[in-house]
Amino acid sequence: MNPDPRRARPRSSLGIHCTWAPDGGVDQASAPIVDMGEFGPYAGPHRLADAEIDGELVRITWDDAVQAVYHRLWLRDNCACADCRHPQTRERTVKLVDIDEPGRPEVTSDSDGALTCTWADGHVSRFDPNWLRQRRPEADGPAQPTPRLWTSARMADGLPSVDHHAVMNTNDGLRRWLDALSRDGATLVTGGPTQPGEVVRLAERIGWPRETNFGRHFDVQSKPNPNNAAYTAIRLEPHVDLPNWQRPPDFQFLYCLENKADGGESLLVDGFAVAGGLAEEDPEAFETLCTLPVDFRFQDAENDIRYRAPVIGRDADGAVREIRFNNWIRDAQPMDPAAAERFYRGYRRFWELLRDPKYMIRFPLKPGCMMAFDNLRVLHGREEFFPNTGKRHLQGCYVDRDLVDSRLRVLERT
Ligand SMILES: [Zn+2]
C-alpha cells in the first residue's frame, strides 16, 4: 500500500535511480528515471532524444519529436538534487540570490534519456524527461475537477450518493464522494449512524472542520432566542452561508440525526447553472449582479462580521467562481437610487430563477443521511417545519476547499 518508492530507498546524493533499460525495453514505464522530490506522479513513457543550449534557452526534444524550451535560470532554480531540494521536506533550498550567476549550462540528453545540465560552477542538475514534459511552458496548470452544472432534471433520480460505510472505511468510497462533491457541488452520504458528532467524523476523513462564530460544528434545530434564521422553524430561501465573511466556508455538511417534524424538506439549487441562465436571458441583470457590491452583515451581542462583494463573483477569465446570496443577512447599505433600480431588477430575477423548479430540487433529508455541498456554488434552503409535530435535528460543519482538493490529490496518487 505504499506507492512511494522514496520511502523504501534512501536517496543518493544526486537523487537518482535508473529503471530504464536502454535496449528499448521499458521495464517499468511507471517508475521515474530521476527522483525529482515529488509525491505526485510524473513517470511516463518518454525519453529525451536531444538537448541543446540556444542562447538563454535550453531546447529539448523528446523521442516522439515533441519539443519544448526552458529558460536556463528556471532549470537551475528547479534543480532537484539533495543540495537544492530538501530530501525530506521536498521543499526548495537553493537560493538563487546566494549562488553565483549560473551561466549557460552544458546540456546533454544522457543515456537514461534524462536531461543533464552542468553549470559553470560544476554543479550538476538532472531532470526526469517526463517531469519536464509535465512542466513544459505551454502545459496547463494542475488539473482541477471540472464542475458539472446541473438542473433539476439531471438530479431527478437524486443527488450522487455514497454509502457512509464506504466513505468512512475505504479510500475508494472517500475518493468517489469527494470527486462527486467537487464536480457536482452536491452529494449525499447515506446509511450512517444517528449519533451526535458524526458530521465532524466525516469532516475528519478529509481534514478538520473550519471553525466560525457558530463553532466547530453547529446544531440546526428550533431554539429559544435564536441568533440565526436556521435556528427557527421558518422557511429558508435558498442561500449561501456566511457571505458576510471575506472568506466564507467552501463546503458545508448537514447531517440529519432526527427528522420527525412535518415539513422541513431540503432545497438545493446549482447557483452556477442559475447564473448561466440569467446571463443568457438577461445579460444586463447578470452584469449588474457581477459588478454591484453588496454589503452582508451578521451582528449579535458578541460579533459584527461584515463584507462587501457582488452577488456573482467571477475569476480573471470571466468564469463564475462564487455566489453570495443570503437575503436575511444582506445589510441595509446606502444605495444610489439609480443603482438601486438596477440592483432590485437583477436581484429579483436571479431570485425567481433560484426558486424555479427547472433548477431547484427538493427532498426530505432522512436520519443517518448527510448532504454535503459547495457552499459558494450550490445554494441550500428548507421548507418551513412544524416543531409541534416532532423533533428535527441536524448537525452541520464547514470544510475548506484546500483540504478537499488535497485529500483528492493524495487519494489519486495511486
Ligand atoms: Zn542542485
mmCIF file of all heavy atoms in Angstrom, residues 334-374:
data_model
loop_
_atom_site.group_PDB
_atom_site.id
_atom_site.type_symbol
_atom_site.label_atom_id
_atom_site.label_comp_id
_atom_site.label_asym_id
_atom_site.label_seq_id
_atom_site.Cartn_x
_atom_site.Cartn_y
_atom_site.Cartn_z
ATOM 1 N N PRO A 334 -26.227 51.854 2.121
ATOM 2 C CA PRO A 334 -26.585 53.052 1.357
ATOM 3 C C PRO A 334 -26.516 52.720 -0.123
ATOM 4 O O PRO A 334 -25.591 52.027 -0.556
ATOM 5 C CB PRO A 334 -25.477 54.053 1.726
ATOM 6 C CG PRO A 334 -24.814 53.491 2.940
ATOM 7 C CD PRO A 334 -24.988 52.016 2.892
ATOM 8 N N MET A 335 -27.501 53.147 -0.897
ATOM 9 C CA MET A 335 -27.515 52.805 -2.316
ATOM 10 C C MET A 335 -28.081 53.951 -3.141
ATOM 11 O O MET A 335 -29.197 54.411 -2.893
ATOM 12 C CB MET A 335 -28.318 51.519 -2.542
ATOM 13 C CG MET A 335 -27.970 50.799 -3.841
ATOM 14 S SD MET A 335 -28.958 49.302 -4.085
ATOM 15 C CE MET A 335 -28.051 48.088 -3.143
ATOM 16 N N ASP A 336 -27.297 54.385 -4.075
ATOM 17 C CA ASP A 336 -27.715 55.388 -5.037
ATOM 18 C C ASP A 336 -29.003 54.913 -5.735
ATOM 19 O O ASP A 336 -29.080 53.743 -6.128
ATOM 20 C CB ASP A 336 -26.541 55.537 -6.024
ATOM 21 C CG ASP A 336 -26.918 56.320 -7.234
ATOM 22 O OD1 ASP A 336 -26.909 57.539 -7.125
ATOM 23 O OD2 ASP A 336 -27.238 55.697 -8.278
ATOM 24 N N PRO A 337 -30.030 55.780 -5.857
ATOM 25 C CA PRO A 337 -31.311 55.318 -6.410
ATOM 26 C C PRO A 337 -31.196 54.676 -7.793
ATOM 27 O O PRO A 337 -31.891 53.703 -8.088
ATOM 28 C CB PRO A 337 -32.157 56.599 -6.478
ATOM 29 C CG PRO A 337 -31.586 57.479 -5.420
ATOM 30 C CD PRO A 337 -30.108 57.180 -5.381
ATOM 31 N N ALA A 338 -30.291 55.187 -8.632
ATOM 32 C CA ALA A 338 -30.154 54.587 -9.965
ATOM 33 C C ALA A 338 -29.576 53.179 -9.843
ATOM 34 O O ALA A 338 -29.991 52.247 -10.540
ATOM 35 C CB ALA A 338 -29.255 55.461 -10.840
ATOM 36 N N ALA A 339 -28.616 53.012 -8.913
ATOM 37 C CA ALA A 339 -28.038 51.688 -8.683
ATOM 38 C C ALA A 339 -29.101 50.763 -8.099
ATOM 39 O O ALA A 339 -29.187 49.584 -8.461
ATOM 40 C CB ALA A 339 -26.839 51.791 -7.748
ATOM 41 N N ALA A 340 -29.933 51.316 -7.184
ATOM 42 C CA ALA A 340 -30.996 50.512 -6.565
ATOM 43 C C ALA A 340 -31.961 49.996 -7.630
ATOM 44 O O ALA A 340 -32.389 48.835 -7.603
ATOM 45 C CB ALA A 340 -31.742 51.345 -5.519
ATOM 46 N N GLU A 341 -32.281 50.835 -8.588
ATOM 47 C CA GLU A 341 -33.171 50.437 -9.683
ATOM 48 C C GLU A 341 -32.612 49.214 -10.413
ATOM 49 O O GLU A 341 -33.286 48.207 -10.613
ATOM 50 C CB GLU A 341 -33.299 51.643 -10.650
ATOM 51 C CG GLU A 341 -34.083 51.379 -11.911
ATOM 52 C CD GLU A 341 -35.590 51.476 -11.662
ATOM 53 O OE1 GLU A 341 -35.995 52.200 -10.727
ATOM 54 O OE2 GLU A 341 -36.348 50.823 -12.413
ATOM 55 N N ARG A 342 -31.322 49.301 -10.755
ATOM 56 C CA ARG A 342 -30.678 48.196 -11.476
ATOM 57 C C ARG A 342 -30.571 46.973 -10.572
ATOM 58 O O ARG A 342 -30.812 45.837 -10.974
ATOM 59 C CB ARG A 342 -29.261 48.603 -11.915
ATOM 60 C CG ARG A 342 -29.220 49.534 -13.102
ATOM 61 C CD ARG A 342 -27.788 49.687 -13.613
ATOM 62 N NE ARG A 342 -26.892 50.229 -12.593
ATOM 63 C CZ ARG A 342 -25.735 49.669 -12.221
ATOM 64 N NH1 ARG A 342 -25.344 48.544 -12.780
ATOM 65 N NH2 ARG A 342 -24.990 50.240 -11.300
ATOM 66 N N PHE A 343 -30.154 47.205 -9.311
ATOM 67 C CA PHE A 343 -29.928 46.090 -8.399
ATOM 68 C C PHE A 343 -31.205 45.280 -8.180
ATOM 69 O O PHE A 343 -31.222 44.061 -8.342
ATOM 70 C CB PHE A 343 -29.387 46.581 -7.055
ATOM 71 C CG PHE A 343 -29.301 45.481 -6.034
ATOM 72 C CD1 PHE A 343 -28.361 44.467 -6.169
ATOM 73 C CD2 PHE A 343 -30.196 45.427 -4.968
ATOM 74 C CE1 PHE A 343 -28.300 43.421 -5.250
ATOM 75 C CE2 PHE A 343 -30.140 44.386 -4.056
ATOM 76 C CZ PHE A 343 -29.190 43.385 -4.188
ATOM 77 N N TYR A 344 -32.297 45.964 -7.836
ATOM 78 C CA TYR A 344 -33.506 45.215 -7.479
ATOM 79 C C TYR A 344 -34.097 44.471 -8.681
ATOM 80 O O TYR A 344 -34.663 43.393 -8.527
ATOM 81 C CB TYR A 344 -34.527 46.130 -6.811
ATOM 82 C CG TYR A 344 -34.104 46.475 -5.392
ATOM 83 C CD1 TYR A 344 -33.679 47.757 -5.049
ATOM 84 C CD2 TYR A 344 -34.074 45.492 -4.402
ATOM 85 C CE1 TYR A 344 -33.260 48.057 -3.759
ATOM 86 C CE2 TYR A 344 -33.647 45.783 -3.109
ATOM 87 C CZ TYR A 344 -33.235 47.065 -2.793
ATOM 88 O OH TYR A 344 -32.808 47.341 -1.526
ATOM 89 N N ARG A 345 -33.908 45.043 -9.863
ATOM 90 C CA ARG A 345 -34.388 44.341 -11.052
ATOM 91 C C ARG A 345 -33.621 43.025 -11.245
ATOM 92 O O ARG A 345 -34.202 41.949 -11.392
ATOM 93 C CB ARG A 345 -34.240 45.225 -12.291
ATOM 94 C CG ARG A 345 -35.023 44.737 -13.495
ATOM 95 C CD ARG A 345 -34.852 45.666 -14.701
ATOM 96 N NE ARG A 345 -33.540 45.532 -15.332
ATOM 97 C CZ ARG A 345 -33.212 44.515 -16.145
ATOM 98 N NH1 ARG A 345 -34.088 43.576 -16.412
ATOM 99 N NH2 ARG A 345 -32.014 44.471 -16.679
ATOM 100 N N GLY A 346 -32.289 43.087 -11.179
ATOM 101 C CA GLY A 346 -31.461 41.898 -11.371
ATOM 102 C C GLY A 346 -31.614 40.895 -10.239
ATOM 103 O O GLY A 346 -31.706 39.683 -10.461
ATOM 104 N N TYR A 347 -31.693 41.437 -9.010
ATOM 105 C CA TYR A 347 -31.776 40.583 -7.836
ATOM 106 C C TYR A 347 -33.073 39.769 -7.836
ATOM 107 O O TYR A 347 -33.088 38.574 -7.572
ATOM 108 C CB TYR A 347 -31.709 41.486 -6.602
ATOM 109 C CG TYR A 347 -31.529 40.783 -5.277
ATOM 110 C CD1 TYR A 347 -30.331 40.145 -4.961
ATOM 111 C CD2 TYR A 347 -32.545 40.798 -4.326
ATOM 112 C CE1 TYR A 347 -30.164 39.528 -3.726
ATOM 113 C CE2 TYR A 347 -32.385 40.189 -3.090
ATOM 114 C CZ TYR A 347 -31.192 39.556 -2.802
ATOM 115 O OH TYR A 347 -31.018 38.957 -1.581
ATOM 116 N N ARG A 348 -34.169 40.449 -8.185
ATOM 117 C CA ARG A 348 -35.465 39.754 -8.224
ATOM 118 C C ARG A 348 -35.456 38.634 -9.267
ATOM 119 O O ARG A 348 -35.904 37.519 -8.990
ATOM 120 C CB ARG A 348 -36.586 40.749 -8.549
ATOM 121 C CG ARG A 348 -37.919 40.083 -8.874
ATOM 122 C CD ARG A 348 -38.987 41.101 -9.273
ATOM 123 N NE ARG A 348 -39.490 41.819 -8.108
ATOM 124 C CZ ARG A 348 -40.576 41.444 -7.419
ATOM 125 N NH1 ARG A 348 -41.258 40.380 -7.772
ATOM 126 N NH2 ARG A 348 -40.981 42.137 -6.380
ATOM 127 N N ARG A 349 -34.902 38.938 -10.441
ATOM 128 C CA ARG A 349 -34.917 37.918 -11.496
ATOM 129 C C ARG A 349 -34.037 36.734 -11.102
ATOM 130 O O ARG A 349 -34.407 35.582 -11.334
ATOM 131 C CB ARG A 349 -34.448 38.533 -12.833
ATOM 132 C CG ARG A 349 -34.601 37.592 -14.014
ATOM 133 C CD ARG A 349 -36.066 37.120 -14.161
ATOM 134 N NE ARG A 349 -36.207 36.001 -15.066
ATOM 135 C CZ ARG A 349 -37.066 34.985 -14.885
ATOM 136 N NH1 ARG A 349 -37.874 34.955 -13.822
ATOM 137 N NH2 ARG A 349 -37.128 34.011 -15.745
ATOM 138 N N PHE A 350 -32.881 37.001 -10.504
ATOM 139 C CA PHE A 350 -31.994 35.922 -10.068
ATOM 140 C C PHE A 350 -32.702 35.060 -9.017
ATOM 141 O O PHE A 350 -32.680 33.832 -9.069
ATOM 142 C CB PHE A 350 -30.703 36.526 -9.499
ATOM 143 C CG PHE A 350 -29.636 35.512 -9.164
ATOM 144 C CD1 PHE A 350 -29.155 34.635 -10.131
ATOM 145 C CD2 PHE A 350 -29.092 35.441 -7.886
ATOM 146 C CE1 PHE A 350 -28.153 33.705 -9.838
ATOM 147 C CE2 PHE A 350 -28.100 34.524 -7.581
ATOM 148 C CZ PHE A 350 -27.636 33.655 -8.554
ATOM 149 N N TRP A 351 -33.384 35.717 -8.097
ATOM 150 C CA TRP A 351 -34.096 35.011 -7.030
ATOM 151 C C TRP A 351 -35.215 34.143 -7.605
ATOM 152 O O TRP A 351 -35.430 33.003 -7.207
ATOM 153 C CB TRP A 351 -34.634 36.050 -6.036
ATOM 154 C CG TRP A 351 -35.014 35.514 -4.694
ATOM 155 C CD1 TRP A 351 -35.247 34.215 -4.335
ATOM 156 C CD2 TRP A 351 -35.209 36.299 -3.510
ATOM 157 N NE1 TRP A 351 -35.579 34.135 -3.013
ATOM 158 C CE2 TRP A 351 -35.559 35.406 -2.480
ATOM 159 C CE3 TRP A 351 -35.135 37.674 -3.225
ATOM 160 C CZ2 TRP A 351 -35.827 35.844 -1.173
ATOM 161 C CZ3 TRP A 351 -35.400 38.099 -1.927
ATOM 162 C CH2 TRP A 351 -35.743 37.190 -0.917
ATOM 163 N N GLU A 352 -35.956 34.706 -8.590
ATOM 164 C CA GLU A 352 -37.013 33.922 -9.243
ATOM 165 C C GLU A 352 -36.435 32.666 -9.888
ATOM 166 O O GLU A 352 -37.013 31.583 -9.790
ATOM 167 C CB GLU A 352 -37.724 34.771 -10.312
ATOM 168 C CG GLU A 352 -38.655 35.825 -9.724
ATOM 169 C CD GLU A 352 -39.143 36.842 -10.774
ATOM 170 O OE1 GLU A 352 -38.601 36.880 -11.903
ATOM 171 O OE2 GLU A 352 -40.064 37.607 -10.439
ATOM 172 N N LEU A 353 -35.284 32.817 -10.519
ATOM 173 C CA LEU A 353 -34.667 31.648 -11.165
ATOM 174 C C LEU A 353 -34.184 30.631 -10.131
ATOM 175 O O LEU A 353 -34.260 29.420 -10.350
ATOM 176 C CB LEU A 353 -33.505 32.082 -12.067
ATOM 177 C CG LEU A 353 -33.886 32.823 -13.354
ATOM 178 C CD1 LEU A 353 -32.632 33.303 -14.079
ATOM 179 C CD2 LEU A 353 -34.712 31.926 -14.276
ATOM 180 N N LEU A 354 -33.670 31.125 -8.996
ATOM 181 C CA LEU A 354 -33.236 30.199 -7.942
ATOM 182 C C LEU A 354 -34.396 29.324 -7.468
ATOM 183 O O LEU A 354 -34.223 28.148 -7.154
ATOM 184 C CB LEU A 354 -32.662 30.974 -6.742
ATOM 185 C CG LEU A 354 -31.314 31.672 -6.942
ATOM 186 C CD1 LEU A 354 -30.991 32.551 -5.734
ATOM 187 C CD2 LEU A 354 -30.192 30.662 -7.166
ATOM 188 N N ARG A 355 -35.580 29.906 -7.425
ATOM 189 C CA ARG A 355 -36.765 29.162 -6.971
ATOM 190 C C ARG A 355 -37.393 28.307 -8.077
ATOM 191 O O ARG A 355 -38.260 27.487 -7.801
ATOM 192 C CB ARG A 355 -37.847 30.150 -6.522
ATOM 193 C CG ARG A 355 -37.631 30.769 -5.184
ATOM 194 C CD ARG A 355 -38.781 31.731 -4.988
ATOM 195 N NE ARG A 355 -38.925 32.181 -3.625
ATOM 196 C CZ ARG A 355 -39.969 32.916 -3.224
ATOM 197 N NH1 ARG A 355 -40.911 33.261 -4.077
ATOM 198 N NH2 ARG A 355 -40.063 33.288 -1.969
ATOM 199 N N ASP A 356 -37.010 28.558 -9.314
ATOM 200 C CA ASP A 356 -37.640 27.900 -10.460
ATOM 201 C C ASP A 356 -37.446 26.381 -10.367
ATOM 202 O O ASP A 356 -36.311 25.912 -10.211
ATOM 203 C CB ASP A 356 -36.985 28.442 -11.744
ATOM 204 C CG ASP A 356 -37.715 28.018 -13.008
ATOM 205 O OD1 ASP A 356 -38.301 26.915 -13.016
ATOM 206 O OD2 ASP A 356 -37.669 28.787 -13.980
ATOM 207 N N PRO A 357 -38.544 25.610 -10.482
ATOM 208 C CA PRO A 357 -38.415 24.142 -10.414
ATOM 209 C C PRO A 357 -37.508 23.581 -11.508
ATOM 210 O O PRO A 357 -37.051 22.439 -11.406
ATOM 211 C CB PRO A 357 -39.853 23.641 -10.602
ATOM 212 C CG PRO A 357 -40.729 24.810 -10.359
ATOM 213 C CD PRO A 357 -39.931 26.049 -10.637
ATOM 214 N N LYS A 358 -37.243 24.375 -12.541
ATOM 215 C CA LYS A 358 -36.271 23.924 -13.545
ATOM 216 C C LYS A 358 -34.891 23.724 -12.897
ATOM 217 O O LYS A 358 -34.116 22.876 -13.313
ATOM 218 C CB LYS A 358 -36.175 24.971 -14.660
ATOM 219 C CG LYS A 358 -35.128 24.635 -15.712
ATOM 220 C CD LYS A 358 -34.960 25.749 -16.742
ATOM 221 C CE LYS A 358 -33.742 25.466 -17.628
ATOM 222 N NZ LYS A 358 -33.421 26.582 -18.509
ATOM 223 N N TYR A 359 -34.601 24.538 -11.891
ATOM 224 C CA TYR A 359 -33.277 24.480 -11.267
ATOM 225 C C TYR A 359 -33.290 23.850 -9.867
ATOM 226 O O TYR A 359 -32.340 23.187 -9.467
ATOM 227 C CB TYR A 359 -32.698 25.898 -11.141
ATOM 228 C CG TYR A 359 -32.355 26.535 -12.465
ATOM 229 C CD1 TYR A 359 -33.123 27.582 -12.979
ATOM 230 C CD2 TYR A 359 -31.271 26.082 -13.205
ATOM 231 C CE1 TYR A 359 -32.800 28.170 -14.201
ATOM 232 C CE2 TYR A 359 -30.943 26.663 -14.421
ATOM 233 C CZ TYR A 359 -31.708 27.710 -14.910
ATOM 234 O OH TYR A 359 -31.402 28.284 -16.113
ATOM 235 N N MET A 360 -34.344 24.106 -9.096
ATOM 236 C CA MET A 360 -34.321 23.717 -7.677
ATOM 237 C C MET A 360 -34.784 22.284 -7.463
ATOM 238 O O MET A 360 -35.757 21.843 -8.070
ATOM 239 C CB MET A 360 -35.204 24.672 -6.870
ATOM 240 C CG MET A 360 -35.207 24.323 -5.385
ATOM 241 S SD MET A 360 -36.321 25.373 -4.456
ATOM 242 C CE MET A 360 -35.247 26.771 -4.178
ATOM 243 N N ILE A 361 -34.066 21.570 -6.599
ATOM 244 C CA ILE A 361 -34.546 20.249 -6.192
ATOM 245 C C ILE A 361 -34.975 20.313 -4.726
ATOM 246 O O ILE A 361 -34.542 21.184 -3.970
ATOM 247 C CB ILE A 361 -33.485 19.135 -6.393
ATOM 248 C CG1 ILE A 361 -32.216 19.416 -5.596
ATOM 249 C CG2 ILE A 361 -33.168 18.977 -7.863
ATOM 250 C CD1 ILE A 361 -31.249 18.247 -5.569
ATOM 251 N N ARG A 362 -35.831 19.357 -4.363
ATOM 252 C CA ARG A 362 -36.456 19.359 -3.039
ATOM 253 C C ARG A 362 -36.577 17.910 -2.600
ATOM 254 O O ARG A 362 -37.016 17.050 -3.358
ATOM 255 C CB ARG A 362 -37.833 19.987 -3.198
ATOM 256 C CG ARG A 362 -38.769 19.891 -2.019
ATOM 257 C CD ARG A 362 -40.191 20.162 -2.502
ATOM 258 N NE ARG A 362 -40.279 21.426 -3.230
ATOM 259 C CZ ARG A 362 -40.917 22.494 -2.767
ATOM 260 N NH1 ARG A 362 -41.542 22.435 -1.624
ATOM 261 N NH2 ARG A 362 -40.955 23.597 -3.469
ATOM 262 N N PHE A 363 -36.147 17.612 -1.382
ATOM 263 C CA PHE A 363 -36.203 16.217 -0.918
ATOM 264 C C PHE A 363 -36.149 16.196 0.606
ATOM 265 O O PHE A 363 -35.602 17.116 1.229
ATOM 266 C CB PHE A 363 -35.019 15.413 -1.500
ATOM 267 C CG PHE A 363 -33.673 16.006 -1.160
ATOM 268 C CD1 PHE A 363 -32.942 15.543 -0.082
ATOM 269 C CD2 PHE A 363 -33.147 17.055 -1.928
ATOM 270 C CE1 PHE A 363 -31.711 16.098 0.228
ATOM 271 C CE2 PHE A 363 -31.906 17.612 -1.614
ATOM 272 C CZ PHE A 363 -31.193 17.131 -0.534
ATOM 273 N N PRO A 364 -36.726 15.161 1.217
ATOM 274 C CA PRO A 364 -36.617 15.057 2.674
ATOM 275 C C PRO A 364 -35.264 14.452 3.042
ATOM 276 O O PRO A 364 -34.848 13.458 2.433
ATOM 277 C CB PRO A 364 -37.758 14.098 3.044
ATOM 278 C CG PRO A 364 -38.019 13.310 1.810
ATOM 279 C CD PRO A 364 -37.540 14.088 0.625
ATOM 280 N N LEU A 365 -34.560 15.058 3.961
ATOM 281 C CA LEU A 365 -33.275 14.510 4.417
ATOM 282 C C LEU A 365 -33.573 13.520 5.541
ATOM 283 O O LEU A 365 -34.202 13.873 6.542
ATOM 284 C CB LEU A 365 -32.373 15.639 4.916
ATOM 285 C CG LEU A 365 -30.909 15.273 5.169
ATOM 286 C CD1 LEU A 365 -30.222 14.790 3.891
ATOM 287 C CD2 LEU A 365 -30.152 16.454 5.752
ATOM 288 N N LYS A 366 -33.139 12.266 5.341
ATOM 289 C CA LYS A 366 -33.512 11.216 6.287
ATOM 290 C C LYS A 366 -32.471 11.079 7.392
ATOM 291 O O LYS A 366 -31.293 11.360 7.180
ATOM 292 C CB LYS A 366 -33.618 9.885 5.539
ATOM 293 C CG LYS A 366 -34.715 9.875 4.492
ATOM 294 C CD LYS A 366 -34.930 8.469 3.937
ATOM 295 C CE LYS A 366 -35.960 8.494 2.825
ATOM 296 N NZ LYS A 366 -35.381 8.193 1.514
ATOM 297 N N PRO A 367 -32.880 10.614 8.556
ATOM 298 C CA PRO A 367 -31.917 10.382 9.643
ATOM 299 C C PRO A 367 -30.807 9.443 9.169
ATOM 300 O O PRO A 367 -31.060 8.475 8.460
ATOM 301 C CB PRO A 367 -32.767 9.734 10.735
ATOM 302 C CG PRO A 367 -34.153 10.222 10.480
ATOM 303 C CD PRO A 367 -34.269 10.358 8.982
ATOM 304 N N GLY A 368 -29.561 9.766 9.547
ATOM 305 C CA GLY A 368 -28.416 8.962 9.115
ATOM 306 C C GLY A 368 -27.884 9.366 7.750
ATOM 307 O O GLY A 368 -26.954 8.753 7.246
ATOM 308 N N CYS A 369 -28.498 10.382 7.137
ATOM 309 C CA CYS A 369 -28.026 10.878 5.837
ATOM 310 C C CYS A 369 -27.422 12.269 6.006
ATOM 311 O O CYS A 369 -27.876 13.060 6.828
ATOM 312 C CB CYS A 369 -29.162 10.976 4.827
ATOM 313 S SG CYS A 369 -29.755 9.364 4.317
ATOM 314 N N MET A 370 -26.426 12.530 5.200
ATOM 315 C CA MET A 370 -25.781 13.841 5.239
ATOM 316 C C MET A 370 -25.740 14.426 3.841
ATOM 317 O O MET A 370 -25.339 13.750 2.903
ATOM 318 C CB MET A 370 -24.353 13.714 5.767
ATOM 319 C CG MET A 370 -23.660 15.063 5.910
ATOM 320 S SD MET A 370 -21.990 14.926 6.558
ATOM 321 C CE MET A 370 -21.075 14.638 5.037
ATOM 322 N N MET A 371 -26.163 15.675 3.703
ATOM 323 C CA MET A 371 -25.905 16.332 2.424
ATOM 324 C C MET A 371 -24.657 17.177 2.569
ATOM 325 O O MET A 371 -24.404 17.804 3.597
ATOM 326 C CB MET A 371 -27.100 17.124 1.915
ATOM 327 C CG MET A 371 -27.661 18.176 2.785
ATOM 328 S SD MET A 371 -29.105 18.878 1.918
ATOM 329 C CE MET A 371 -29.372 20.354 2.869
ATOM 330 N N ALA A 372 -23.829 17.111 1.538
ATOM 331 C CA ALA A 372 -22.585 17.868 1.505
ATOM 332 C C ALA A 372 -22.616 18.677 0.230
ATOM 333 O O ALA A 372 -22.964 18.142 -0.830
ATOM 334 C CB ALA A 372 -21.392 16.923 1.513
ATOM 335 N N PHE A 373 -22.309 19.953 0.314
ATOM 336 C CA PHE A 373 -22.405 20.785 -0.896
ATOM 337 C C PHE A 373 -21.386 21.908 -0.864
ATOM 338 O O PHE A 373 -20.865 22.282 0.186
ATOM 339 C CB PHE A 373 -23.831 21.333 -1.070
ATOM 340 C CG PHE A 373 -24.394 21.981 0.157
ATOM 341 C CD1 PHE A 373 -24.202 23.338 0.381
ATOM 342 C CD2 PHE A 373 -25.090 21.234 1.097
ATOM 343 C CE1 PHE A 373 -24.719 23.947 1.519
ATOM 344 C CE2 PHE A 373 -25.603 21.836 2.240
ATOM 345 C CZ PHE A 373 -25.414 23.187 2.452
ATOM 346 N N ASP A 374 -21.124 22.404 -2.065
ATOM 347 C CA ASP A 374 -20.209 23.529 -2.263
ATOM 348 C C ASP A 374 -20.964 24.795 -1.873
ATOM 349 O O ASP A 374 -21.850 25.239 -2.605
ATOM 350 C CB ASP A 374 -19.781 23.550 -3.735
ATOM 351 C CG ASP A 374 -18.728 24.612 -4.012
ATOM 352 O OD1 ASP A 374 -18.701 25.636 -3.299
ATOM 353 O OD2 ASP A 374 -17.954 24.419 -4.962
#
